[in-house]
Amino acid sequence: MSDAEKVYAFDTGPLRHFALGGWLAVLKIVTRDGRVVIPESVEEELKQQRAGDPGLDQVLKADWINVERRYDMDYLQQFAAFGQLLVDNRGRNRGECGVLALGGVSGRFRGWASGEGLL
């Protein structure tokens, strides 16, 4: 992702609400000026939850939602750091860690997060 590119990164919760509420097409329209991404951790959470909510399949099949699979050290270190803060003993909140880590490796978010002591 370049800093000039407009990117929308979504966590599991908002995508879940848009999908189950029948508003996923609206989200596509609202974000049409950029690229919509989810980290692999959000994809995994959606896959786990679709057994109870088959409507989540539409998020996983949406061709305009791109899964970011990152294995670079910067991303992995940030994912781990956020994981220590957010992931509970049942493994919840991994999606949030992925979204924050994606933001952390982009320049615009990094400056703010560092100033707040998050990175």
Side-chain angles (χ1 to χ4, degrees):
M1 288 181 280
S2 73
D3 284 343
E5 179 183 30
K6 186 176 264 189
V7 177
Y8 299 95
F10 284 94
D11 186 24
T12 308
L15 285 175
R16 176 185 177 80
H17 289 292
F18 274 100
L20 299 180
W23 290 92
L24 201 57
V26 173
L27 183 62
K28 181 179 180 180
I29 292 168
V30 170
T31 60
R32 71 177 170 247
D33 64 335
R35 195 164 73 93
V36 175
V37 299
I38 59 173
E40 188 174 9
S41 55
V42 167
E43 179 188 47
E44 289 304 315
E45 286 182 343
L46 289 167
K47 285 179 178 178
Q48 290 170 2
Q49 294 177 19
R50 74 177 167 194
D53 290 307
L56 296 177
D57 231 14
Q58 62 186 313
V59 176
L60 296 166
K61 291 179 179 178
D63 62 357
W64 55 276
I65 298 175
N66 304 283
V67 179
E68 286 283 321
R69 299 181 196 289
R70 299 284 302 258
Y71 306 105
D72 55 281
M73 191 55 71
D74 194 19
Y75 173 81
L76 295 173
Q77 287 175 334
Q78 290 186 49
F79 185 91
F82 286 121
Q84 290 180 332
L85 296 170
L86 300 173
V87 176
D88 68 11
N89 60 356
R90 291 188 280 178
R92 290 185 303 195
N93 299 328
R94 290 179 41 81
E96 284 87 344
C97 297
V99 172
L100 289 170
L102 280 180
V105 295
S106 76
R108 288 176 281 177
F109 178 78
R110 181 184 290 268
W112 173 83
S114 288
E116 296 295 319
L118 298 173
L119 297 175

